[in-house]
Structure formats: C-alpha cells, structure tokens
Amino acid sequence: MTEHAIPSAHLPAPREAWVHRSTDGGAKDCLLFLDGELFTERVKAPYLVRGAEAAGTLPPVTCVYLPNASAAGRHADYTCNEAFASFAAEEMPAWIELEAGRFERLFLCGLSLSALQAVFTALRHPGVFAGVLAQSPSAWWQEEWLTQSLPAMPARPNRFWLSVGTQELQTNVSHPPTPLVQTTSQLDSVHRLAAALTAAGHPVHLHEYDGGHDPACWAAELPEALAWLIQG
C-alpha cells in the first residue's frame, strides 16, 4: 500500500490517500473508501478484499483509501458537504487515473457519517460512480435532511448497498467532538432513506443485519456487499 498527497482546489488543505493495487495488476474497477483509516484499521478491508479476490468472489480491484484530517474535520467533511462532494467526484477520479491507472468503473464506499456523504456525493454528481456502499449511513443527520431533499436531487439512477443493524436504536444522543446530535435512530432513518431512494428510481439493496454500529458487522458483510455492487 503506497501513500500519496493530494492537492485540492475544493478543500482548504491537501489530503492523503493510500493506494492498494490489485494483486495481478489487471483491475478494471476501483473502490474509493472514505474513512480510510477506519476501513483499513477496524474493518480490515484490505485483507477482506484480497481474500475475496483469492476466493473468486470478487474480480481484481484497486482500492484507494482516503483517511480523515481530524475527528472534527470528519464531521465537517461528511455531513452532506458540497465542497467535499466536488473533491470526491471531480478531483479524485482525475487523481486516481493519474496515480493508480485508468479504470472502467469507480465505486464510492463509506461507513456511518462517511456513508451519508457517499450517498450525497453520488446523488449530487450522477454518472461519476458506478455504485455506492453505505454501511450504517447516518441518515438521521439534520432531521433526515438527505431523505427529505431527495426530490430535488438529479434523477439519474445509481446502485446503492445500504445496511443497518437491528440494534442501532439509539435516539437523542450527542456525537463529539462537534455539537452533532442524533434525534432519530439509525435503524428507522436508514429504512426511510432506502425507501426514498427506491421511490426515486435508484436500485437499492437494503441489508439489515443482527447487530449494532459495529466495525465487526461491517467487516462481516463487506465481501458480499462489494460483490453485489461490482457484479450486479
């Protein structure tokens, strides 16, 4: 895995990215993971992706992991942020082609807050991403603003894997280090987001797993989720 610095016209400071190339170098698809340090350190995505490739359940893929600048910056970047969406959809594809190679398709992946941003980014920039992995997206943000705003979004369909745990039932909880307050449960808000995306014409696979807001649960579903996105 190699580390790179990425200058940005949309963001106030450069970002870093880690590139993990396919084993045989013949990847046709690229996965862009927001929350890169969480996907690598807690979900163990590099290990799971390579294991799925070896088992034949995934074709060769190149993965780009985009870590966060800070905990507070994570909240700013991933709460339906227009500047970050433009960075991910406009600057990152060009950077990936330059530094990692040209790919036929690019997929966007996120978890929790970054899953909310992944869905928002794909909706605001239709045609850039071939599909979105959104594991336990924080659809509760701002009284479910994204779900309420769907009718005003571009109508071009995209594929979404949404997941949520049966134990994600917390309400009226604060999320430091910023004054971020969740008033509705993850479970209910994700169900409403999935229904709204489906009503808007997007192909959605909603996976409700037995568990909570837990990297172990996201790791368990990751190979199946990526296979659905890539091979569907």
Side-chain angles (χ1 to χ4, degrees):
M1 191 178 295
T2 55
E3 184 173 321
H4 304 261
I6 309 170
S8 172
H10 289 96
L11 303 180
R15 297 302 170 96
E16 293 182 349
W18 307 319
V19 179
H20 195 191
R21 290 175 172 82
S22 63
T23 307
D24 65 1
K28 296 181 179 179
D29 297 317
C30 181
L31 305 170
L32 174 57
F33 289 88
L34 310 181
D35 267 331
E37 75 278 21
L38 299 181
F39 270 110
T40 55
E41 296 168 11
R42 302 188 66 185
V43 179
K44 310 297 182 185
Y47 169 80
L48 294 170
V49 169
R50 294 301 169 245
E53 286 180 342
T57 56
L58 272 184
V61 292
T62 286
C63 299
V64 175
Y65 298 94
L66 195 65
N68 300 299
S70 67
R74 179 177 182 267
H75 284 197
D77 286 345
Y78 295 157
T79 46
C80 297
N81 184 313
E82 292 280 6
F84 190 90
S86 295
F87 166 71
E90 297 172 10
E91 296 182 289
M92 282 305 299
W95 182 89
I96 288 170
E97 182 173 334
L98 181 66
E99 297 291 340
R102 180 174 294 181
F103 300 95
E104 294 181 4
R105 297 183 300 176
L106 178 62
F107 297 86
L108 188 58
C109 309
L111 54 82
S112 192
L113 274 177
S114 67
L116 172 73
Q117 182 67 30
V119 175
F120 172 76
T121 298
L123 291 170
R124 294 294 290 161
H125 298 268
V128 176
F129 301 100
V132 174
L133 168 69
Q135 297 184 285
S136 294
S138 299
W140 48 262
W141 178 74
Q142 290 283 78
E143 306 297 335
E144 304 185 40
W145 177 88
L146 182 57
T147 298
Q148 302 300 324
S149 300
L150 268 173
M153 297 283 184
R156 183 170 176 175
N158 205 338
R159 290 166 54 78
F160 294 92
W161 173 289
L162 269 62
S163 64
V164 68
T166 57
Q167 297 173 26
E168 296 194 71
L169 302 173
Q170 283 186 304
T171 61
N172 299 313
V173 58
S174 298
H175 295 280
T178 66
L180 196 61
V181 177
Q182 173 185 346
T183 59
T184 60
S185 78
Q186 203 99 8
L187 181 63
D188 290 341
S189 62
V190 170
H191 273 274
R192 285 189 283 267
L193 176 60
L197 286 169
T198 300
H202 301 280
V204 176
H205 182 103
L206 176 60
H207 178 217
E208 187 176 303
Y209 58 81
D210 184 16
H213 205 69
D214 186 351
C217 296
W218 303 328
E221 73 165 355
L222 187 65
E224 180 188 357
L226 295 179
W228 182 85
L229 279 176
I230 291 174
Q231 299 176 358

